[in-house]
Amino acid sequence: MSNAVTMYEYHAWANQTMLNRLKELPQDVYKREIVSIFSSVSKAMAHIYTVDRSWLEIVTGTEMKDALKPAEQVTKEAERQSIEGLDAMFAALSERYRVFFRQQADLEKAIVLDNPYAGIRETRLSEIVMQVVNHGTYHRGNISAMLCQMGHASVMTEYALFWYQNRA
């Protein structure tokens, strides 16, 4: 398994670990409006989902500007979901990533990324996977801080913990 695929598996595990923690908390915590990085944990999780989905479209051949067009609608749909609903959406998206990894033998393949916000850049598929992972890690940290702000403990989603959780 390539490093990029291993890191994606960590990302999927960390998202699942966070969703599992959110399911343990009082039901209102997930959508409670607060003054923080995002206005609710549900909006932060929906953002992670939307960005993950957009990047998958890009690595499978959609131009970035086209991949970003449905982002607002995808975000709204993800925000409307319960934790269980978003969990199912993440599970389906993770399976789509795994299909991509099985079909794309060369993650070191370079593509031209025409980012409407930053310009044109040649980028390897593995770099995009690492962007997905890094973006999720960043925002799971936001969610941990938001939970703490609301008086609840978060959950560890560090990469080193993933090593030991997935020995099998």
Side-chain angles (χ1 to χ4, degrees), residues 89-141:
M89 290 172 70
F90 266 112
L93 184 59
S94 291
E95 186 51 37
R96 288 181 58 207
Y97 266 95
R98 290 178 185 114
V99 167
F100 164 73
F101 294 139
R102 285 191 299 271
Q103 293 174 346
Q104 178 59 50
D106 185 11
L107 292 178
E108 295 311 307
K109 174 185 169 188
I111 64 168
V112 175
L113 185 64
D114 188 355
N115 185 325
Y117 307 107
I120 296 174
R121 179 180 194 279
E122 188 172 278
T123 307
R124 293 185 320 274
L125 295 174
S126 64
E127 289 180 292
I128 293 173
V129 174
M130 295 306 293
Q131 165 56 28
V132 168
V133 174
N134 190 55
H135 177 263
T137 299
Y138 177 74
H139 288 305
R140 284 187 302 275

Side-chain angles (χ1 to χ4, degrees), residues 46-97:
H47 174 73
I48 295 170
Y49 175 84
T50 300
V51 171
D52 283 11
R53 182 175 155 166
S54 295
W55 281 117
L56 180 61
E57 296 303 318
I58 293 163
V59 299
T60 57
T62 304
E63 290 292 323
M64 189 171 197
K65 65 180 174 31
D66 296 326
L68 296 176
K69 283 180 185 173
E72 185 177 336
Q73 187 59 38
V74 169
T75 298
K76 285 179 184 177
E77 174 61 25
E79 287 174 356
R80 279 194 292 270
Q81 298 295 316
S82 64
I83 297 169
E84 292 77 14
L86 192 63
D87 189 357
M89 290 172 70
F90 266 112
L93 184 59
S94 291
E95 186 51 37
R96 288 181 58 207
Y97 266 95

Side-chain angles (χ1 to χ4, degrees), residues 26-58:
Q27 191 173 356
D28 73 306
V29 169
Y30 184 61
K31 293 196 178 197
R32 184 184 304 163
E33 295 282 325
I34 62 171
V35 177
S36 193
I37 307 301
F38 287 89
S39 59
S40 70
V41 170
S42 63
K43 289 184 179 188
M45 289 300 299
H47 174 73
I48 295 170
Y49 175 84
T50 300
V51 171
D52 283 11
R53 182 175 155 166
S54 295
W55 281 117
L56 180 61
E57 296 303 318
I58 293 163

